Amino acid sequence: MLRRALLAASASGTLRRIITTAPVTRDVVGRFVAGDTVTDALAAAQQLLDAGLLVSLDYLGEDTEDLQHASDVTDEYVSLLRSLSGAGLSDGGAAEVSVKPTAVGLDLPDHGEKTARENIARICAAARDAGTTVTLDMEEHTRVEPTLRILRQLQPEFPDLGCVIQSYLRRSAEDCSALAVAGSRVRLCKGAYSAPAQVAFGSRADVDRCYARCLRLLLAGPGYPMIATHDPRLIKIAGLRAIAAGRSPDSFEYQMLYGIRPAEQLRLARAGSRVRVYLPYGSDWYGYLVRRLAERPANLTFFLRSLASRG
Ligand code: FDA
């Protein structure tokens, strides 16, 4: 309820102004975001790789409204991939990138989907040159169809292009069945957006049940599942199902967000699992931060208390 209200309120210009200008915000952002620049991102990525973790870098930004900006975001990814390669961080896919289709043009009024597809293809080509992969983030439910269409259209040329499936959507088990094929890379998460009851489950229990069902489908198939959750119960279920499916530890990976349950990230990696950290950087962190606050009432309470005490 609180989560839905916060996500809805986040579109308000006033709330955005309050959150982005409050001095305390910087401290909170620093917990979830590597920094503003590529240099910050590379430094954080290097630290995580040194600790035995893998990384997926996300250049923050979404809902791009003009063609030039979509092209600039694409250039940033291409340059990031060259830097990762130059520093030896992308070797064997150790550091890859995650891309939001709306950041590279999906919502543009004219030919948005075509623009996004072309820009994503440019990023995929740079990733291939760098010896690594790209995963398409999944945004609001209205973007699922165009995002999966882009995935299908680009996969013949870039077979290792991955995507995200969100278990809060009623359609997701069906999507997982279709995507549990050889060569596919599917990141399974619960979903950080809100959606109407016709398309999304309303209760946490139903979202978790659907997650477990999707897990079973992906782990039983021949693809490469990427289990993106911090939920201890689902992580345990995933481990047991992977064993039951006869999977080796290098045939799937766990994924978590930068700054969330870092000790668990290390514990899993030290126990022999592949663990990838989703590492955002850039100055356009507002939407990302609001989703992290909305996910966990304790984060929001901490943030509001800090605002009040320093205001
Ligand atoms: P849940 O929310 O139940 O949390 C389980 C436990 O994790 C909590 O009890 C707490 O300990 C910890 N935790 C979770 N969130 C926290 C937070 N914000 N702060 C502190 N602790 C927290 N979503 C989406 O819609 N599209 C996408 O493309 C992606 N991509 C993505 C990539 C990766 C690698 C991850 C890990 C997640 C995403 N997500 C996403 C976000 C995802 O949908 C979801 O909102 C969050 O992962 C939180 O859900 P959990 O599965 O962790 O469970």
Side-chain angles (χ1 to χ4, degrees):
M1 187 73 175
L2 179 66
R3 175 171 172 269
R4 208 170 299 160
L6 184 64
L7 290 175
S10 69
S12 130
T14 312
L15 186 65
R16 188 182 184 111
R17 246 188 328 278
I18 292 172
I19 291 187
T20 52
T21 55
V24 63
T25 302
R26 271 280 150 190
D27 300 345
V28 183
V29 171
R31 178 182 160 193
F32 298 116
V33 174
D36 284 354
T37 66
V38 171
T39 310
D40 298 329
L42 290 186
Q46 181 75 66
Q47 261 189 9
L48 293 164
L49 293 171
D50 288 347
L53 300 161
L54 306 165
V55 170
S56 187
L57 285 132
D58 164 43
Y59 177 55
L60 288 166
E62 49 205 84
D63 306 337
T64 295
E65 282 171 359
D66 71 84
L67 192 61
Q68 184 55 52
H69 187 57
S71 173
D72 292 345
V73 171
T74 307
D75 290 345
E76 171 76 21
Y77 270 105
V78 170
S79 146
L80 168 66
L81 284 157
R82 287 192 188 132
S83 303
L84 286 171
S85 174
L89 304 185
S90 56
D91 295 352
E96 63 136 37
V97 296
S98 289
V99 179
K100 285 191 171 41
T102 69
V104 291
L106 185 61
D107 280 356
L108 295 181
D110 294 322
H111 312 297
E113 189 171 326
K114 178 169 176 283
T115 303
R117 187 177 60 241
E118 289 169 359
N119 285 335
I120 291 166
R122 200 145 71 77
I123 297 170
C124 287
R128 186 167 53 196
D129 290 346
T132 192
T133 49
V134 178
T135 303
L136 296 179
D137 284 334
M138 197 58 86
E139 303 173 80
E140 288 87 347
H141 70 101
T142 50
R143 274 71 176 251
V144 174
E145 268 309 318
T147 301
L148 292 180
R149 214 162 28 236
I150 290 173
L151 177 83
R152 284 192 297 270
Q153 287 163 350
L154 291 183
Q155 269 181 338
E157 189 178 356
F158 304 104
D160 55 11
L161 175 62
C163 71
V164 173
I165 295 294
Q166 302 150 310
S167 73
Y168 83 127
L169 294 180
R170 296 180 187 276
R171 59 176 288 164
S172 289
E174 215 171 295
D175 285 334
C176 283
S177 295
L179 287 163
V181 295
S184 78
R185 294 172 59 255
V186 179
R187 172 185 293 160
L188 179 63
C189 70
K190 291 188 187 179
Y193 300 83
S194 58
Q198 302 95 285
V199 295
F201 297 113
S203 77
R204 291 180 77 87
D206 283 341
V207 174
D208 290 0
R209 250 192 301 277
C210 180
Y211 195 104
R213 193 162 164 223
C214 291
L215 254 184
R216 194 173 54 241
L217 290 164
L218 294 174
L219 284 167
Y224 184 79
M226 303 182 281
I227 301 157
T229 181
H230 314 91
D231 187 328
R233 204 166 60 94
L234 291 173
I235 290 171
K236 196 165 177 196
I237 292 174
L240 294 172
R241 292 245 167 98
I243 292 170
R247 279 190 171 263
S248 61
D250 62 354
S251 69
F252 69 99
E253 65 186 44
Y254 295 100
Q255 298 192 341
M256 296 191 204
L257 302 176
Y258 181 67
I260 301 183
R261 304 199 69 204
E264 175 67 358
Q265 296 169 11
L266 289 174
R267 185 193 71 77
L268 284 166
R270 285 177 187 148
S273 298
R274 287 168 64 84
V275 182
R276 192 175 299 273
V277 178
Y278 186 97
L279 181 62
Y281 78 98
S283 49
D284 192 359
W285 39 256
Y286 176 73
Y288 185 83
L289 177 70
V290 169
R291 288 194 291 279
R292 300 297 76 80
L293 295 179
E295 240 147 44
R296 201 163 180 241
N299 286 353
L300 185 60
T301 313
F302 168 76
F303 180 69
L304 293 174
R305 267 211 208 106
S306 313
L307 261 187
S309 64
R310 296 210 207 162

